[in-house]
Amino acid sequence: MVDLIKAPGDPIWLQYVPTVQELEIHDGLVDSLAEDANSPVPNITHRYPDRALFLVSPVCASYCRFCTRRRKVGDPEKIPMAQLESAFHYLEEHREIRDVIMSGGDPLLLSDRRIDEICKRLRAIPHLEVLRIGSRIPCHLPERVTPELCAILKQYHPLYINTHFNHPDELTPPAVQALAMLADAGIPLGCQTVLLKGVNDDPEVMKRLMQRLLAARVRPYYIYMCDQVAGAEHFRTTVQKGLEIIRALRGWTSGLAVPHFVIDAPGGGGKIPLLPEYVVKLTDKEVVLRNYAGKEYHYTQPIEPILVG
Ligand SMILES: *Cc1c(COP(=O)(O)O)cnc(C)c1O
């Protein structure tokens, strides 16, 4: 990572090097996504009907300055396996959960053995159709993606990994190689990006990031508005800027390169999608649409069938 910083204040520097602006605490900021309120047992956040977040590693190697969990440091194996028992038990009991997202911290900072153990336990639960890992390792510590790790992960398909890149310069040759190894292990890769002022709040930068992700076999998944994290006010930009970026992507580049733009609603509301307005008018007879280039088109609704008899 350090090699990537070209100058103080560049997009990589801004994400990781603390500034005095972090000490400014503004009114109305919250320091969490109210995950505790949706936490039935320790390490589980069950907010959506059919999927749950499973915090398997308390720490992250990234120290991103805009993260809700940026203060957590220490030994990634600090949670003893025994302490995860109530979480496994909850997942076993709740048959409506068909998708578990291992998160943290960073799950891939755990040892190979611990990752194998956790995945094996989860795969023994028949109703869990899909396993997911959220990790910034491919960006931050690509050397962690070893053939041994890939051999472990590929035993647990369907397994998805969502990674996190915020700037095209982060797609370094080692990062691209780590992504290729994961993709070769059959793991579909997604990317969650955070909209950050001075880093990627620019349609051209964002387009290049999305295109380079696709070229690295990663399907852009979400662009998030920056959470209202205490001390991260200087990273926040407007919702209008996010919509401008989506408008600059959709139609102008591959549809595969266009992620969903969402706000993770404070207070535990979950992810809420935002879309630029493409519907000019909608009636029972027709819809008037505006395409990516601003031209209008009419689409006629089906004619109501005349009921006979
Ligand atoms: C983001 C998130 C999920 C997964 O949401 P998807 O839209 O399915 O990716 C699940 N639980 C929590 C608490 C989340 O924040």
Side-chain angles (χ1 to χ4, degrees), residues 16 21 56 64 72 89 104 153 221 292:
Y16 308 105
Q21 289 165 291
V56 296
C64 307
K72 303 241 170 95
H89 192 69
L153 295 175
Y221 183 46
Y292 71 100

Side-chain angles (χ1 to χ4, degrees), residues 138-206:
C139 175
H140 276 186
L141 196 61
E143 298 79 3
R144 171 69 188 95
V145 180
T146 58
E148 293 75 24
L149 177 64
C150 293
I152 290 168
L153 295 175
K154 71 186 289 186
Q155 295 173 269
Y156 300 106
H157 282 311
L159 172 76
Y160 290 71
I161 291 182
N162 261 327
T163 181
H164 178 170
F165 288 81
N166 291 328
H167 191 276
D169 288 354
E170 292 173 350
L171 285 146
T172 58
V176 171
Q177 194 197 327
L179 293 166
M181 287 168 71
L182 293 169
D184 283 346
I187 302 168
L189 302 172
C191 181
Q192 323 205 119
T193 295
V194 179
L195 179 57
L196 297 168
K197 188 151 87 186
V199 175
N200 58 20
D201 61 335
D202 177 288
E204 281 309 309
V205 170
M206 217 43 126

Side-chain angles (χ1 to χ4, degrees), residues 45 47-48 51 53 101 132 221-222 224 264 271:
T45 302
R47 173 173 298 154
Y48 293 104
R51 53 213 189 279
L53 212 63
I101 300 135
R132 291 198 245 177
Y221 183 46
Y222 283 136
Y224 290 94
D264 208 345
K271 298 174 189 72

Side-chain angles (χ1 to χ4, degrees), residues 213-233:
L213 284 166
L214 265 195
R217 305 165 73 182
V218 180
R219 169 76 157 97
Y221 183 46
Y222 283 136
I223 292 178
Y224 290 94
M225 281 302 288
C226 188
D227 289 333
Q228 298 174 70
V229 178
E233 193 62 13

